[in-house]
Short mmCIF file of all heavy atoms in Angstrom, two decimals:
data_model
loop_
_atom_site.label_atom_id
_atom_site.label_comp_id
_atom_site.label_asym_id
_atom_site.label_seq_id
_atom_site.Cartn_x
_atom_site.Cartn_y
_atom_site.Cartn_z
N MET I 72 -0.59 39.02 8.32
CA MET I 72 0.11 37.77 8.49
C MET I 72 0.37 37.54 9.97
O MET I 72 0.56 38.48 10.73
CB MET I 72 1.43 37.83 7.75
CG MET I 72 1.42 37.03 6.50
SD MET I 72 3.03 36.73 5.77
CE MET I 72 3.60 38.34 5.37
N SER I 73 0.44 36.31 10.33
CA SER I 73 0.70 36.00 11.73
C SER I 73 2.17 36.23 12.06
O SER I 73 3.03 36.31 11.18
CB SER I 73 0.31 34.55 12.03
OG SER I 73 1.25 33.68 11.44
N LEU I 74 2.45 36.33 13.33
CA LEU I 74 3.81 36.58 13.79
C LEU I 74 4.75 35.44 13.39
O LEU I 74 5.88 35.67 12.96
CB LEU I 74 3.82 36.77 15.31
CG LEU I 74 5.17 37.06 15.94
CD1 LEU I 74 5.74 38.35 15.40
CD2 LEU I 74 5.04 37.11 17.43
N ILE I 75 4.29 34.22 13.49
CA ILE I 75 5.13 33.07 13.15
C ILE I 75 5.48 33.07 11.67
O ILE I 75 6.63 32.86 11.30
CB ILE I 75 4.43 31.75 13.55
CG1 ILE I 75 4.30 31.68 15.06
CG2 ILE I 75 5.20 30.55 13.01
CD1 ILE I 75 3.48 30.53 15.56
N VAL I 76 4.51 33.35 10.82
CA VAL I 76 4.78 33.41 9.38
C VAL I 76 5.73 34.55 9.07
O VAL I 76 6.65 34.41 8.27
CB VAL I 76 3.46 33.55 8.58
CG1 VAL I 76 3.74 33.77 7.11
CG2 VAL I 76 2.59 32.32 8.77
N SER I 77 5.54 35.70 9.73
CA SER I 77 6.43 36.84 9.52
C SER I 77 7.87 36.50 9.92
O SER I 77 8.82 36.87 9.23
CB SER I 77 5.95 38.05 10.31
OG SER I 77 4.71 38.48 9.85
N LEU I 78 8.03 35.81 11.04
CA LEU I 78 9.37 35.41 11.46
C LEU I 78 9.99 34.42 10.48
O LEU I 78 11.18 34.51 10.17
CB LEU I 78 9.33 34.82 12.86
CG LEU I 78 9.14 35.82 13.99
CD1 LEU I 78 8.97 35.09 15.31
CD2 LEU I 78 10.28 36.80 14.05
N LEU I 79 9.21 33.48 9.99
CA LEU I 79 9.73 32.51 9.02
C LEU I 79 10.13 33.20 7.72
O LEU I 79 11.16 32.86 7.13
CB LEU I 79 8.70 31.41 8.75
CG LEU I 79 8.45 30.46 9.92
CD1 LEU I 79 7.33 29.48 9.58
CD2 LEU I 79 9.72 29.70 10.28
N VAL I 80 9.33 34.17 7.28
CA VAL I 80 9.68 34.94 6.09
C VAL I 80 10.96 35.72 6.34
O VAL I 80 11.85 35.78 5.49
CB VAL I 80 8.51 35.87 5.68
CG1 VAL I 80 8.96 36.89 4.65
CG2 VAL I 80 7.35 35.06 5.14
N GLY I 81 11.10 36.31 7.53
CA GLY I 81 12.31 37.05 7.88
C GLY I 81 13.53 36.17 7.92
O GLY I 81 14.62 36.55 7.47
N ILE I 82 13.38 34.97 8.45
CA ILE I 82 14.50 34.03 8.50
C ILE I 82 14.91 33.62 7.09
O ILE I 82 16.10 33.57 6.77
CB ILE I 82 14.13 32.81 9.37
CG1 ILE I 82 14.08 33.25 10.85
CG2 ILE I 82 15.10 31.66 9.16
CD1 ILE I 82 13.52 32.20 11.78
N ALA I 83 13.94 33.35 6.24
CA ALA I 83 14.26 33.03 4.84
C ALA I 83 14.93 34.21 4.16
O ALA I 83 15.89 34.04 3.40
CB ALA I 83 12.98 32.64 4.09
N ALA I 84 14.47 35.41 4.46
CA ALA I 84 15.08 36.61 3.88
C ALA I 84 16.52 36.77 4.36
O ALA I 84 17.38 37.22 3.61
CB ALA I 84 14.26 37.84 4.26
N GLY I 85 16.78 36.41 5.60
CA GLY I 85 18.14 36.48 6.13
C GLY I 85 19.08 35.55 5.39
O GLY I 85 20.22 35.90 5.09
N TRP I 86 18.59 34.36 5.08
CA TRP I 86 19.41 33.41 4.33
C TRP I 86 19.68 33.95 2.93
O TRP I 86 20.81 33.91 2.44
CB TRP I 86 18.72 32.06 4.27
CG TRP I 86 19.55 31.06 3.53
CD1 TRP I 86 20.62 30.37 4.01
CD2 TRP I 86 19.40 30.69 2.16
NE1 TRP I 86 21.14 29.56 3.03
CE2 TRP I 86 20.41 29.74 1.88
CE3 TRP I 86 18.52 31.05 1.16
CZ2 TRP I 86 20.55 29.17 0.63
CZ3 TRP I 86 18.66 30.48 -0.08
CH2 TRP I 86 19.67 29.54 -0.34
N ILE I 87 18.65 34.47 2.28
CA ILE I 87 18.80 35.01 0.92
C ILE I 87 19.74 36.21 0.94
O ILE I 87 20.61 36.35 0.08
CB ILE I 87 17.43 35.38 0.32
CG1 ILE I 87 16.60 34.12 0.11
CG2 ILE I 87 17.59 36.15 -0.98
CD1 ILE I 87 15.15 34.38 -0.23
N ALA I 88 19.58 37.10 1.93
CA ALA I 88 20.45 38.28 2.03
C ALA I 88 21.90 37.85 2.26
O ALA I 88 22.83 38.47 1.74
CB ALA I 88 19.98 39.19 3.16
N GLY I 89 22.10 36.80 3.03
CA GLY I 89 23.45 36.28 3.25
C GLY I 89 24.07 35.79 1.96
O GLY I 89 25.29 35.89 1.76
N GLN I 90 23.26 35.23 1.06
CA GLN I 90 23.75 34.78 -0.24
C GLN I 90 24.07 35.97 -1.14
O GLN I 90 25.01 35.92 -1.92
CB GLN I 90 22.73 33.87 -0.91
CG GLN I 90 22.43 32.60 -0.14
CD GLN I 90 23.65 31.76 0.10
OE1 GLN I 90 24.41 31.47 -0.82
NE2 GLN I 90 23.88 31.40 1.35
N ILE I 91 23.28 37.04 -1.02
CA ILE I 91 23.50 38.23 -1.85
C ILE I 91 24.75 38.98 -1.39
O ILE I 91 25.55 39.42 -2.20
CB ILE I 91 22.26 39.15 -1.80
CG1 ILE I 91 21.09 38.47 -2.51
CG2 ILE I 91 22.56 40.51 -2.43
CD1 ILE I 91 19.77 39.19 -2.35
N VAL I 92 24.92 39.12 -0.09
CA VAL I 92 26.03 39.87 0.49
C VAL I 92 27.13 38.89 0.89
O VAL I 92 27.66 38.95 1.98
CB VAL I 92 25.54 40.70 1.70
CG1 VAL I 92 26.62 41.61 2.21
CG2 VAL I 92 24.30 41.48 1.36
N LYS I 93 27.46 38.00 0.02
CA LYS I 93 28.43 36.94 0.31
C LYS I 93 29.76 37.50 0.80
O LYS I 93 30.26 38.47 0.29
CB LYS I 93 28.66 36.12 -0.95
CG LYS I 93 28.29 34.71 -0.75
CD LYS I 93 28.54 33.92 -1.99
CE LYS I 93 28.28 32.52 -1.66
NZ LYS I 93 27.27 31.80 -2.07
N GLY I 94 30.29 36.86 1.83
CA GLY I 94 31.58 37.26 2.36
C GLY I 94 31.52 38.37 3.38
O GLY I 94 32.49 38.68 4.03
N ARG I 95 30.38 39.00 3.54
CA ARG I 95 30.24 40.10 4.48
C ARG I 95 29.18 39.82 5.53
O ARG I 95 28.79 40.69 6.27
CB ARG I 95 29.86 41.37 3.74
CG ARG I 95 30.92 41.82 2.78
CD ARG I 95 30.55 43.14 2.20
NE ARG I 95 31.54 43.52 1.21
CZ ARG I 95 31.29 44.23 0.16
NH1 ARG I 95 30.08 44.65 -0.08
NH2 ARG I 95 32.25 44.54 -0.67
N GLY I 96 28.71 38.61 5.58
CA GLY I 96 27.65 38.25 6.51
C GLY I 96 28.19 37.89 7.88
O GLY I 96 29.35 38.11 8.21
N PHE I 97 27.33 37.33 8.70
CA PHE I 97 27.66 36.98 10.07
C PHE I 97 27.45 35.51 10.35
O PHE I 97 27.13 35.13 11.45
CB PHE I 97 26.81 37.82 11.03
CG PHE I 97 27.11 39.27 10.94
CD1 PHE I 97 26.35 40.10 10.13
CD2 PHE I 97 28.17 39.81 11.64
CE1 PHE I 97 26.64 41.43 10.04
CE2 PHE I 97 28.47 41.15 11.55
CZ PHE I 97 27.70 41.97 10.75
N GLY I 98 27.58 34.68 9.35
CA GLY I 98 27.32 33.27 9.51
C GLY I 98 25.83 32.99 9.40
O GLY I 98 25.01 33.91 9.32
N LEU I 99 25.48 31.75 9.41
CA LEU I 99 24.09 31.36 9.20
C LEU I 99 23.17 31.92 10.27
O LEU I 99 22.16 32.57 9.96
CB LEU I 99 23.98 29.83 9.14
CG LEU I 99 22.57 29.29 8.91
CD1 LEU I 99 22.04 29.75 7.56
CD2 LEU I 99 22.56 27.79 8.99
N VAL I 100 23.49 31.71 11.53
CA VAL I 100 22.60 32.16 12.61
C VAL I 100 22.51 33.68 12.64
O VAL I 100 21.43 34.24 12.78
CB VAL I 100 23.08 31.59 13.97
CG1 VAL I 100 22.26 32.15 15.11
CG2 VAL I 100 23.02 30.08 13.96
N GLY I 101 23.65 34.35 12.50
CA GLY I 101 23.64 35.82 12.50
C GLY I 101 22.83 36.38 11.35
O GLY I 101 22.07 37.33 11.53
N ASN I 102 22.97 35.79 10.17
CA ASN I 102 22.19 36.26 9.02
C ASN I 102 20.70 36.00 9.20
O ASN I 102 19.87 36.80 8.77
CB ASN I 102 22.67 35.58 7.74
CG ASN I 102 24.00 36.13 7.27
OD1 ASN I 102 24.46 37.17 7.72
ND2 ASN I 102 24.63 35.41 6.37
N LEU I 103 20.35 34.89 9.85
CA LEU I 103 18.93 34.60 10.08
C LEU I 103 18.33 35.62 11.04
O LEU I 103 17.21 36.09 10.84
CB LEU I 103 18.75 33.18 10.60
CG LEU I 103 19.18 32.06 9.65
CD1 LEU I 103 18.94 30.71 10.31
CD2 LEU I 103 18.47 32.15 8.33
N ILE I 104 19.08 35.98 12.08
CA ILE I 104 18.59 36.98 13.03
C ILE I 104 18.49 38.34 12.36
O ILE I 104 17.48 39.04 12.50
CB ILE I 104 19.51 37.03 14.26
CG1 ILE I 104 19.38 35.74 15.06
CG2 ILE I 104 19.19 38.24 15.14
CD1 ILE I 104 20.41 35.56 16.15
N ILE I 105 19.51 38.71 11.61
CA ILE I 105 19.46 39.98 10.89
C ILE I 105 18.35 39.97 9.86
O ILE I 105 17.72 40.99 9.59
CB ILE I 105 20.84 40.30 10.27
CG1 ILE I 105 21.80 40.68 11.39
CG2 ILE I 105 20.74 41.42 9.25
CD1 ILE I 105 23.19 41.01 10.96
N GLY I 106 18.07 38.82 9.27
CA GLY I 106 16.97 38.71 8.32
C GLY I 106 15.63 38.98 8.97
O GLY I 106 14.77 39.66 8.41
N ALA I 107 15.43 38.44 10.17
CA ALA I 107 14.17 38.69 10.88
C ALA I 107 14.04 40.17 11.21
O ALA I 107 12.96 40.77 11.02
CB ALA I 107 14.11 37.85 12.15
N LEU I 108 15.12 40.79 11.66
CA LEU I 108 15.09 42.23 11.93
C LEU I 108 14.99 43.03 10.64
O LEU I 108 14.32 44.06 10.59
CB LEU I 108 16.34 42.64 12.71
CG LEU I 108 16.50 42.06 14.10
CD1 LEU I 108 17.85 42.43 14.68
CD2 LEU I 108 15.37 42.52 15.00
N GLY I 109 15.65 42.56 9.60
CA GLY I 109 15.59 43.22 8.30
C GLY I 109 14.21 43.17 7.69
O GLY I 109 13.83 44.07 6.94
N GLY I 110 13.47 42.12 7.98
CA GLY I 110 12.09 42.06 7.51
C GLY I 110 11.26 43.20 8.05
O GLY I 110 10.49 43.83 7.33
N LEU I 111 11.46 43.48 9.31
CA LEU I 111 10.76 44.63 9.91
C LEU I 111 11.26 45.94 9.30
O LEU I 111 10.47 46.83 8.98
CB LEU I 111 10.98 44.64 11.43
CG LEU I 111 10.38 43.48 12.20
CD1 LEU I 111 10.85 43.52 13.65
CD2 LEU I 111 8.87 43.53 12.12
N ALA I 112 12.57 46.05 9.15
CA ALA I 112 13.15 47.27 8.57
C ALA I 112 12.70 47.46 7.13
O ALA I 112 12.36 48.57 6.71
CB ALA I 112 14.67 47.21 8.65
N GLY I 113 12.69 46.38 6.36
CA GLY I 113 12.25 46.46 4.96
C GLY I 113 10.81 46.89 4.85
O GLY I 113 10.46 47.69 3.97
N HIS I 114 9.98 46.38 5.73
CA HIS I 114 8.57 46.78 5.71
C HIS I 114 8.44 48.27 5.99
O HIS I 114 7.67 48.97 5.34
CB HIS I 114 7.78 45.96 6.73
CG HIS I 114 6.32 46.20 6.67
ND1 HIS I 114 5.54 45.78 5.62
CD2 HIS I 114 5.49 46.85 7.52
CE1 HIS I 114 4.29 46.15 5.83
NE2 HIS I 114 4.24 46.80 6.97
N MET I 115 9.22 48.78 6.95
CA MET I 115 9.17 50.22 7.26
C MET I 115 9.71 51.05 6.10
O MET I 115 9.16 52.11 5.79
CB MET I 115 9.94 50.51 8.54
CG MET I 115 9.25 49.97 9.77
SD MET I 115 9.95 50.49 11.35
CE MET I 115 11.65 50.05 11.19
N ILE I 116 10.79 50.58 5.44
CA ILE I 116 11.36 51.31 4.31
C ILE I 116 10.35 51.41 3.18
O ILE I 116 10.15 52.48 2.59
CB ILE I 116 12.65 50.61 3.82
CG1 ILE I 116 13.77 50.77 4.84
CG2 ILE I 116 13.10 51.17 2.47
CD1 ILE I 116 14.98 49.91 4.57
N VAL I 117 9.71 50.30 2.86
CA VAL I 117 8.75 50.27 1.75
C VAL I 117 7.54 51.15 2.07
O VAL I 117 7.06 51.90 1.22
CB VAL I 117 8.33 48.82 1.44
CG1 VAL I 117 7.16 48.77 0.49
CG2 VAL I 117 9.50 48.05 0.88
N ARG I 118 7.07 51.11 3.30
CA ARG I 118 5.93 51.94 3.68
C ARG I 118 6.31 53.42 3.67
O ARG I 118 5.52 54.27 3.30
CB ARG I 118 5.39 51.53 5.04
CG ARG I 118 4.73 50.16 4.94
CD ARG I 118 3.90 49.86 6.11
NE ARG I 118 2.65 50.60 5.93
CZ ARG I 118 1.71 50.66 6.83
NH1 ARG I 118 1.87 50.05 7.97
NH2 ARG I 118 0.61 51.32 6.61
N PHE I 119 7.54 53.73 4.09
CA PHE I 119 8.02 55.11 4.08
C PHE I 119 8.09 55.64 2.65
O PHE I 119 7.85 56.82 2.40
CB PHE I 119 9.39 55.21 4.76
CG PHE I 119 9.92 56.61 4.82
CD1 PHE I 119 9.38 57.53 5.71
CD2 PHE I 119 10.95 57.00 4.00
CE1 PHE I 119 9.87 58.82 5.78
CE2 PHE I 119 11.44 58.29 4.05
CZ PHE I 119 10.90 59.21 4.95
N ALA I 120 8.43 54.76 1.71
CA ALA I 120 8.51 55.15 0.29
C ALA I 120 7.12 55.31 -0.33
O ALA I 120 7.01 55.77 -1.46
CB ALA I 120 9.31 54.12 -0.48
N GLY I 121 6.08 54.97 0.40
CA GLY I 121 4.73 55.17 -0.10
C GLY I 121 4.08 53.94 -0.69
O GLY I 121 2.99 54.02 -1.25
N PHE I 122 4.74 52.80 -0.59
CA PHE I 122 4.17 51.56 -1.10
C PHE I 122 3.60 50.74 0.05
O PHE I 122 4.12 50.76 1.15
CB PHE I 122 5.23 50.73 -1.83
CG PHE I 122 5.81 51.42 -3.02
CD1 PHE I 122 7.07 51.98 -2.96
CD2 PHE I 122 5.09 51.52 -4.19
CE1 PHE I 122 7.62 52.63 -4.05
CE2 PHE I 122 5.62 52.17 -5.29
CZ PHE I 122 6.88 52.73 -5.21
N TYR I 123 2.55 50.04 -0.22
CA TYR I 123 1.94 49.18 0.79
C TYR I 123 1.86 47.78 0.21
O TYR I 123 0.95 47.48 -0.55
CB TYR I 123 0.56 49.70 1.18
CG TYR I 123 0.65 51.07 1.80
CD1 TYR I 123 0.49 52.21 1.04
CD2 TYR I 123 0.93 51.20 3.15
CE1 TYR I 123 0.60 53.47 1.61
CE2 TYR I 123 1.05 52.45 3.73
CZ TYR I 123 0.88 53.57 2.96
OH TYR I 123 1.01 54.80 3.53
N PRO I 124 2.86 46.94 0.54
CA PRO I 124 2.90 45.60 -0.07
C PRO I 124 1.70 44.76 0.33
O PRO I 124 1.14 44.93 1.41
CB PRO I 124 4.19 45.00 0.47
CG PRO I 124 4.49 45.76 1.70
CD PRO I 124 3.90 47.13 1.52
N ALA I 125 1.33 43.88 -0.55
CA ALA I 125 0.23 42.97 -0.27
C ALA I 125 0.59 42.06 0.89
O ALA I 125 1.75 41.85 1.19
CB ALA I 125 -0.07 42.13 -1.51
N LYS I 126 -0.41 41.54 1.54
CA LYS I 126 -0.16 40.67 2.69
C LYS I 126 -0.02 39.22 2.26
O LYS I 126 -0.59 38.33 2.85
CB LYS I 126 -1.28 40.84 3.70
CG LYS I 126 -1.28 42.22 4.27
CD LYS I 126 -2.24 42.34 5.40
CE LYS I 126 -2.26 43.77 5.83
NZ LYS I 126 -2.04 43.99 7.19
N ALA I 127 0.77 39.02 1.24
CA ALA I 127 1.06 37.68 0.76
C ALA I 127 2.52 37.36 1.06
O ALA I 127 3.30 38.25 1.40
CB ALA I 127 0.79 37.58 -0.74
N ILE I 128 2.90 36.12 0.92
CA ILE I 128 4.24 35.71 1.32
C ILE I 128 5.31 36.24 0.35
O ILE I 128 6.35 36.72 0.80
CB ILE I 128 4.31 34.18 1.43
CG1 ILE I 128 3.49 33.76 2.65
CG2 ILE I 128 5.74 33.70 1.56
CD1 ILE I 128 3.44 32.28 2.89
N VAL I 129 5.09 36.18 -0.95
CA VAL I 129 6.12 36.59 -1.90
C VAL I 129 6.45 38.09 -1.79
O VAL I 129 7.62 38.44 -1.68
CB VAL I 129 5.74 36.19 -3.35
CG1 VAL I 129 6.72 36.76 -4.35
CG2 VAL I 129 5.66 34.69 -3.47
N PRO I 130 5.46 39.00 -1.80
CA PRO I 130 5.82 40.42 -1.61
C PRO I 130 6.47 40.68 -0.25
O PRO I 130 7.39 41.50 -0.15
CB PRO I 130 4.49 41.16 -1.71
CG PRO I 130 3.60 40.25 -2.47
CD PRO I 130 4.05 38.87 -2.11
N SER I 131 6.04 39.97 0.77
CA SER I 131 6.65 40.13 2.09
C SER I 131 8.09 39.63 2.07
O SER I 131 8.96 40.23 2.70
CB SER I 131 5.85 39.36 3.14
OG SER I 131 4.58 39.92 3.28
N LEU I 132 8.35 38.55 1.36
CA LEU I 132 9.70 38.01 1.26
C LEU I 132 10.61 38.99 0.53
O LEU I 132 11.74 39.24 0.95
CB LEU I 132 9.70 36.65 0.56
CG LEU I 132 11.05 35.97 0.43
CD1 LEU I 132 11.63 35.65 1.81
CD2 LEU I 132 10.91 34.70 -0.39
N ILE I 133 10.13 39.57 -0.55
CA ILE I 133 10.92 40.55 -1.30
C ILE I 133 11.23 41.76 -0.43
O ILE I 133 12.37 42.24 -0.38
CB ILE I 133 10.18 40.96 -2.59
CG1 ILE I 133 10.12 39.77 -3.56
CG2 ILE I 133 10.87 42.16 -3.26
CD1 ILE I 133 9.20 39.98 -4.74
N THR I 134 10.23 42.24 0.28
CA THR I 134 10.42 43.37 1.18
C THR I 134 11.42 43.03 2.28
O THR I 134 12.29 43.83 2.62
CB THR I 134 9.07 43.78 1.80
OG1 THR I 134 8.17 44.10 0.75
CG2 THR I 134 9.22 44.96 2.72
N ALA I 135 11.31 41.85 2.84
CA ALA I 135 12.21 41.43 3.91
C ALA I 135 13.64 41.27 3.40
O ALA I 135 14.59 41.61 4.11
CB ALA I 135 11.71 40.12 4.52
N VAL I 136 13.81 40.77 2.20
CA VAL I 136 15.15 40.63 1.62
C VAL I 136 15.78 42.01 1.44
O VAL I 136 16.95 42.21 1.76
CB VAL I 136 15.12 39.84 0.29
CG1 VAL I 136 16.44 39.95 -0.44
CG2 VAL I 136 14.77 38.40 0.55
N ILE I 137 15.01 42.96 0.93
CA ILE I 137 15.52 44.33 0.77
C ILE I 137 15.97 44.87 2.13
O ILE I 137 17.07 45.42 2.26
CB ILE I 137 14.45 45.24 0.13
CG1 ILE I 137 14.21 44.84 -1.32
CG2 ILE I 137 14.87 46.71 0.23
CD1 ILE I 137 13.00 45.51 -1.94
N GLY I 138 15.14 44.72 3.13
CA GLY I 138 15.49 45.20 4.46
C GLY I 138 16.70 44.50 5.04
O GLY I 138 17.56 45.13 5.66
N ALA I 139 16.80 43.19 4.83
CA ALA I 139 17.93 42.44 5.37
C ALA I 139 19.24 42.81 4.69
O ALA I 139 20.27 42.94 5.35
CB ALA I 139 17.67 40.94 5.24
N VAL I 140 19.20 43.03 3.38
CA VAL I 140 20.41 43.43 2.66
C VAL I 140 20.85 44.82 3.14
O VAL I 140 22.03 45.04 3.40
CB VAL I 140 20.18 43.42 1.13
CG1 VAL I 140 21.31 44.12 0.39
CG2 VAL I 140 20.04 41.99 0.64
N VAL I 141 19.91 45.74 3.28
CA VAL I 141 20.24 47.08 3.78
C VAL I 141 20.81 46.99 5.19
O VAL I 141 21.82 47.63 5.51
CB VAL I 141 19.00 48.00 3.73
CG1 VAL I 141 19.23 49.29 4.49
CG2 VAL I 141 18.61 48.30 2.30
N LEU I 142 20.19 46.19 6.03
CA LEU I 142 20.65 46.05 7.41
C LEU I 142 22.04 45.41 7.47
O LEU I 142 22.90 45.86 8.24
CB LEU I 142 19.64 45.25 8.22
CG LEU I 142 19.80 45.28 9.73
CD1 LEU I 142 19.71 46.71 10.25
CD2 LEU I 142 18.73 44.44 10.38
N LEU I 143 22.28 44.38 6.67
CA LEU I 143 23.61 43.77 6.62
C LEU I 143 24.66 44.78 6.16
O LEU I 143 25.77 44.83 6.70
CB LEU I 143 23.62 42.56 5.68
CG LEU I 143 23.17 41.24 6.26
CD1 LEU I 143 23.07 40.19 5.17
CD2 LEU I 143 24.10 40.78 7.35
N TYR I 144 24.32 45.58 5.17
CA TYR I 144 25.24 46.59 4.67
C TYR I 144 25.56 47.61 5.77
O TYR I 144 26.72 47.96 5.98
CB TYR I 144 24.63 47.28 3.44
CG TYR I 144 25.51 48.37 2.89
CD1 TYR I 144 26.66 48.07 2.18
CD2 TYR I 144 25.19 49.70 3.09
CE1 TYR I 144 27.47 49.06 1.67
CE2 TYR I 144 26.00 50.71 2.59
CZ TYR I 144 27.13 50.38 1.88
OH TYR I 144 27.93 51.38 1.39
N LEU I 145 24.53 48.09 6.48
CA LEU I 145 24.76 49.07 7.55
C LEU I 145 25.56 48.49 8.70
O LEU I 145 26.46 49.15 9.24
CB LEU I 145 23.41 49.60 8.06
CG LEU I 145 22.64 50.50 7.11
CD1 LEU I 145 21.27 50.84 7.69
CD2 LEU I 145 23.42 51.75 6.78
N VAL I 146 25.27 47.27 9.08
CA VAL I 146 26.01 46.64 10.16
C VAL I 146 27.47 46.43 9.76
O VAL I 146 28.38 46.62 10.57
CB VAL I 146 25.35 45.30 10.58
CG1 VAL I 146 26.23 44.50 11.51
CG2 VAL I 146 24.00 45.58 11.21
N ASN I 147 27.72 46.11 8.51
CA ASN I 147 29.09 45.96 8.02
C ASN I 147 29.83 47.29 8.03
O ASN I 147 31.02 47.34 8.32
CB ASN I 147 29.12 45.34 6.63
CG ASN I 147 28.95 43.85 6.67
OD1 ASN I 147 29.47 43.18 7.55
ND2 ASN I 147 28.19 43.33 5.73
N LEU I 148 29.13 48.38 7.70
CA LEU I 148 29.76 49.71 7.77
C LEU I 148 30.15 50.05 9.20
O LEU I 148 31.26 50.54 9.45
CB LEU I 148 28.81 50.78 7.24
CG LEU I 148 28.68 50.92 5.74
CD1 LEU I 148 27.65 51.99 5.39
CD2 LEU I 148 30.02 51.27 5.12
N ILE I 149 29.28 49.76 10.14
CA ILE I 149 29.56 50.05 11.54
C ILE I 149 30.67 49.15 12.07
O ILE I 149 31.52 49.58 12.84
CB ILE I 149 28.27 49.90 12.38
CG1 ILE I 149 27.27 50.99 11.98
CG2 ILE I 149 28.57 49.95 13.87
CD1 ILE I 149 25.90 50.79 12.56
N ARG I 150 30.67 47.91 11.64
CA ARG I 150 31.65 46.93 12.10
C ARG I 150 33.07 47.28 11.67
O ARG I 150 34.03 46.91 12.32
CB ARG I 150 31.26 45.55 11.58
CG ARG I 150 31.97 44.42 12.26
CD ARG I 150 31.33 43.12 11.91
NE ARG I 150 32.03 42.49 10.81
CZ ARG I 150 31.76 41.29 10.38
NH1 ARG I 150 30.78 40.60 10.91
NH2 ARG I 150 32.43 40.77 9.38
N ARG I 151 33.21 48.00 10.57
CA ARG I 151 34.53 48.38 10.08
C ARG I 151 35.24 49.34 11.03
O ARG I 151 36.45 49.38 11.11
CB ARG I 151 34.43 49.04 8.72
CG ARG I 151 34.13 48.08 7.62
CD ARG I 151 34.12 48.79 6.30
NE ARG I 151 33.56 47.95 5.27
CZ ARG I 151 33.27 48.36 4.06
NH1 ARG I 151 33.48 49.61 3.73
NH2 ARG I 151 32.77 47.54 3.18
N PHE I 152 34.48 50.16 11.73
CA PHE I 152 35.08 51.17 12.62
C PHE I 152 35.38 50.62 13.93
O PHE I 152 35.41 50.07 14.70
CB PHE I 152 34.16 52.37 12.76
CG PHE I 152 33.94 53.10 11.47
CD1 PHE I 152 32.73 53.07 10.84
CD2 PHE I 152 34.98 53.79 10.90
CE1 PHE I 152 32.53 53.73 9.64
CE2 PHE I 152 34.80 54.47 9.72
CZ PHE I 152 33.58 54.44 9.08
#
C-alpha cells in the first residue's frame, strides 16, 4: 500500500480506537495521530504473532485499530503516573 493510503487508514483507525476507548482518549487530533502510529504498531504486533495480513484496506484497518487501541491503553497507563 502507498504511504498516503496507510496514513489514511491509520487516521481512520485512530478515530475508531477513540470510540472504543471512550473517555480515555486525547481528543480528535490526538487520537488521529495515535491512530497513525498505532497502525504501524499494530502491523508490527500482528507480524510478531506470525500473521501476515493481506495488503487490502479492511485487514489493514483492523490491524491498525488493534494497534491504536493498544497504544492508547499504554499511553493512558503512562499518563497516570
Side-chain angles (χ1 to χ4, degrees):
M72 254 194 297
S73 72
L74 181 62
I75 294 173
V76 173
S77 296
L78 286 174
L79 291 175
V80 167
I82 289 171
W86 181 80
I87 294 169
Q90 298 301 310
I91 292 172
V92 187
K93 240 181 175 110
R95 296 186 184 149
F97 295 95
L99 181 62
V100 175
N102 286 346
L103 297 180
I104 291 170
I105 288 179
L108 296 174
L111 295 172
H114 186 70
M115 290 189 306
I116 290 169
V117 170
R118 291 195 78 185
F119 182 74
F122 298 104
Y123 297 95
K126 295 188 184 232
I128 290 179
V129 173
S131 295
L132 182 63
I133 292 169
T134 302
V136 168
I137 291 169
V140 168
V141 168
L142 194 59
L143 275 173
Y144 178 75
L145 290 175
V146 169
N147 280 321
L148 281 177
I149 293 170
R150 195 168 96 173
R151 286 183 192 171
F152 296 110

